[in-house]
Amino acid sequence: MQSTARPAPAATIAFCDVLSDDGTRLRAWTNDPEGRIEGPTVLLCNGLGTNPLVWPALLEPDCGVRVVSWNHRGTGGSDRPTDPEACGVDELVEDALSVMDHFGLDKAVVMGWSIGVNTMFQLAVDHPERVSALLAVAGVPGDTFATMLGPLRLPRVAARAVTVNLSKVVKLAGRAITPVTTRLPIGDRTIAVLSHSGFMFPVADPQLTAAAVKEFLSTPIDWYFHMALTTAQHRRVPLSRVGVPCVFVAGRWDVLAGARHMATAAERVADGTYVELPGSHFVQMEHPDEVHRQLLDLVARVSDEKVA
């Protein structure tokens, strides 16, 4: 019998409700509920439908940064929007701004993972006065589905066609699949299999990963893929309009955000740095210390530039 996933470290995460501009209630969160972390505040634009547990380094009390973020519409206690189509990247940007305003952030270093990279780059283009630097983890600045299946080196058009059509099929089957996925026993054995599948590689904290996967699977499959297909409409961001330091951290064998696409994006921004780690799309769970070091280095660099 599989061991059960350990509970979320509730003492290090605090949740609150935030209203986005269109009235959608969001479940926002921070890793510093008691205001004890000495360090700057960073805005996290998380992966689609994911939760705080996918960032083990940010849950450590000595992580050195206060993080604020939110759960996407219709996931993790956030409401679905009145208009079901209002869950694309434009709405994610509005949600990010609402969270920043709630926590009193005029400007911040912004980090993103997966579809959160789309969000943060669009935020930087639309509201450059709110962003001081960007850390992109396993994600590209737009047209995400065209960069999937990167290790197969498919043409962008083919990759987009395959992944979009597959997502449509899974969305249609979602209502039938959800009763199964929400009841799956997620424990050490599941994570051991998953982390040797090629989709994910061995993680630093299997028990925390199990809790993160269990929480992720609480979202109905049809709603998740509805959101995914809506965000798939987001086209590439004009990187010439991004004027802040950008660090791109890629997983070498990432099948959801091709490393070579991240490398070329880093080349197209004025101040871009590319870092490649031997991992998958879940690189911040596989190499949490190294990804966190990249964040701290970027935060320190921005702070030093302000002083200078």
Side-chain angles (χ1 to χ4, degrees), residues 32 52 84 92 115 133 142 162 183-184 197 215 225 230 233 241 274 276 287 290 300 307:
D32 188 24
L92 293 179
I115 199 64
V162 170
R183 291 176 172 81
L184 286 174
S197 64
E215 175 65 22
F225 279 93
T230 305
Q233 300 171 22
R241 295 172 56 186
Y274 177 72
E276 186 173 297
H287 302 281
E290 177 57 28
V307 173

Side-chain angles (χ1 to χ4, degrees), residues 61-128:
D62 60 349
C63 72
V65 289
R66 175 181 181 241
V67 174
V68 299
S69 187
W70 76 101
N71 293 336
H72 293 128
R73 298 171 174 224
T75 75
S78 293
D79 290 343
R80 293 189 186 186
T82 303
D83 177 4
E85 300 304 315
C87 58
V89 170
D90 288 343
E91 286 76 23
L92 293 179
V93 170
E94 291 303 320
D95 294 347
L97 290 170
S98 296
V99 170
M100 291 184 74
D101 291 344
H102 175 83
F103 285 100
L105 286 179
D106 294 326
K107 190 173 187 177
V109 171
V110 184
M111 62 188 299
W113 174 46
S114 194
I115 199 64
V117 175
N118 296 53
T119 305
M120 72 175 196
F121 271 100
Q122 195 63 56
L123 174 65
V125 168
D126 293 346
H127 303 275

Side-chain angles (χ1 to χ4, degrees), residues 31 37-41 57 60-66 292 296 299:
N31 67 339
I37 294 178
E38 295 184 3
T41 300
E60 298 295 335
D62 60 349
C63 72
V65 289
R66 175 181 181 241
H292 193 62
L296 295 181
V299 168

